[in-house]
Amino acid sequence: MTSLPPQPIALPAPSDDAAHAALEQESVHRVYNDIAIHFSATRYKPWPVVEAFLREQRPGSVGCDVGCGNGKYLGVNKAVWTLGVDRSDQLVGICRERGFDAVVGDALDVPCPSARFDFCISIAVIHHLSSPSRRIAAIREVLRLLRPGGEALVYVWAMEQQGGKRTFPAQDVYVPWHMPTVRKPEAKGDAPAVARADGRVDVVYKRYYHLFVQGELEANVAEAGGEVVRSGYDRDNHYCVIRRGGAE
Amino acid sequence: MVRLLTHNMLQCHVRDCTNGFPLRFQNAEVEHAEQEMNTEFLVNMLPRIDWAALRATAHELGIAQLPETMPEDAAESTELLQVLHRVLMETSVKAGEMVCPSCEHVYPIRNGIPNMLLNEDEV
C-alpha cells in the first residue's frame, strides 16, 4: 500500500502568533473535523497508563479532559465525572452521541473557571500546537483548572520512537492521515488522492505535530509554573503527571 | 445537551472579561432524563459545586428551589441529595444560548452542543 511518510515543515517565527494559529487551523482543526468519523473509529482502546490515572481518582472527583477527541477517556471511570473540551465540533458531537458531557472549546483558552477540577488529562493534544509559547500556554491552562492538590496527566508524541515503525525527519512535521474514500475518489483542496494497492483511493491529509524530545515536556511544565510529580515513556509517548507549582 | 453540572463548570473567557460566571441561559429548551443516582459520587462531588451559581440557575430555569447556602449536613440529607441529583445530572439544556452576565457575549447551544469558541479578536 502506498503510504506517504512524515515530512518536515518550516514553521512561522515564534513571535508570529497569528501565523501559528492559521497553521493549526489548516493542519489540525480543519483536518480533525474532516476526518472525525474515520478518526473516531480508530480511537477506541484506552491506553493503560491513562486508564490507571483515571481509575486512581477518588470517586466523585470532577475532571477535565482537554482535547477529549471522541470521548475515549470520558467513560473509563464511571465513579468520576469528566468534562470534555475539544476544538472539533464533529468530535464533540460524537461525545454527545455517546452520552458524555463535552463542549467545543480551545485548549489555549479553556472556558472553565480556575481551580475547580480535581484532575485533568490532556492526551495527544499539545503536540498539535506549533510554537513553544503556545505549548507552554496550554500546560498553563491545564494547571489553572486544577484545585490545590489536584493533578493532571499530559501525554505527547515522542521524537524517540521504539520499534522503528516511524522515523521523523525533524521535530516539527506533517504526519499523513490516509482516509479511505469509497464513493468520491478525488483530491480535497490540497489533500492529494493516493491510489491504494487494492485499487481504492485514499485522500491524504497532513496533520501538524511537534515531536517532543526527552526532557522537553518537563522543561515546558517548569516554564508553565508547574511541578512534575512523575514522568515516563509509554509506547512512543512522553508523559508527565503534573501539579501546580509553589506552596499550596 | 448541557447538563447543569457542566454549566456549573463553564465561564466566559472573552479577553478582559471578569465575573463571567455563571453564564445565563437564554431561550433554553430544558430536558429531563432519568438516571440512576450514585450517592457516594454525589456526596464527594459537593465541594466542587459552586452552590450560589447552581441555586440561581435552578431557580431561573424553574427547576428547583435550593437553600441559600449548602447545608452542613447535605451529605446526610437523602431528600436534598435526590434534588441535587435531579438538578445536576438529570436536567440539561439541549438548545438555546448561554450569555455572559458581564460582557453579554453569547455562546450558542446547537444540537445539544455548546460552542464556547470566540472570534479571534475576542480571545
Side-chain angles (χ1 to χ4, degrees), chain B residues 72-91:
Chain B
E72 274 176 28
D73 63 347
E76 282 82 49
S77 166
T78 313
E79 196 187 313
L80 178 64
L81 290 175
Q82 280 170 348
V83 171
L84 286 173
H85 173 73
R86 182 164 59 84
V87 172
L88 287 167
M89 307 306 295
E90 296 186 331
T91 308

Side-chain angles (χ1 to χ4, degrees), chain A residues 172-209:
Chain A
D172 294 289
V173 290
Y174 284 133
V175 177
W177 178 275
H178 291 246
M179 185 156 83
T181 59
V182 179
R183 279 174 304 233
K184 278 191 82 178
E186 66 195 45
K188 267 196 169 192
D190 60 0
V194 174
R196 292 153 55 113
D198 61 5
R200 294 196 304 172
V201 177
D202 289 351
V203 174
V204 182
Y205 291 88
K206 298 183 303 201
R207 285 179 304 161
Y208 167 75
Y209 281 85

Side-chain angles (χ1 to χ4, degrees), chain B residues 15-28:
Chain B
R15 194 204 302 270
D16 297 329
C17 177
T18 52
N19 301 315
F21 176 87
L23 301 171
R24 195 178 67 239
F25 282 114
Q26 191 168 271
N27 302 316

Side-chain angles (χ1 to χ4, degrees), chain B residues 46-97:
Chain B
L46 292 179
R48 300 274 72 78
I49 303 301
D50 186 303
W51 187 268
L54 184 67
R55 178 171 181 260
T57 304
H59 174 75
E60 277 161 25
L61 294 179
I63 304 300
Q65 285 296 120
L66 293 175
E68 199 170 317
T69 53
M70 189 185 327
E72 274 176 28
D73 63 347
E76 282 82 49
S77 166
T78 313
E79 196 187 313
L80 178 64
L81 290 175
Q82 280 170 348
V83 171
L84 286 173
H85 173 73
R86 182 164 59 84
V87 172
L88 287 167
M89 307 306 295
E90 296 186 331
T91 308
S92 51
V93 175
K94 72 174 183 192
E97 294 96 36

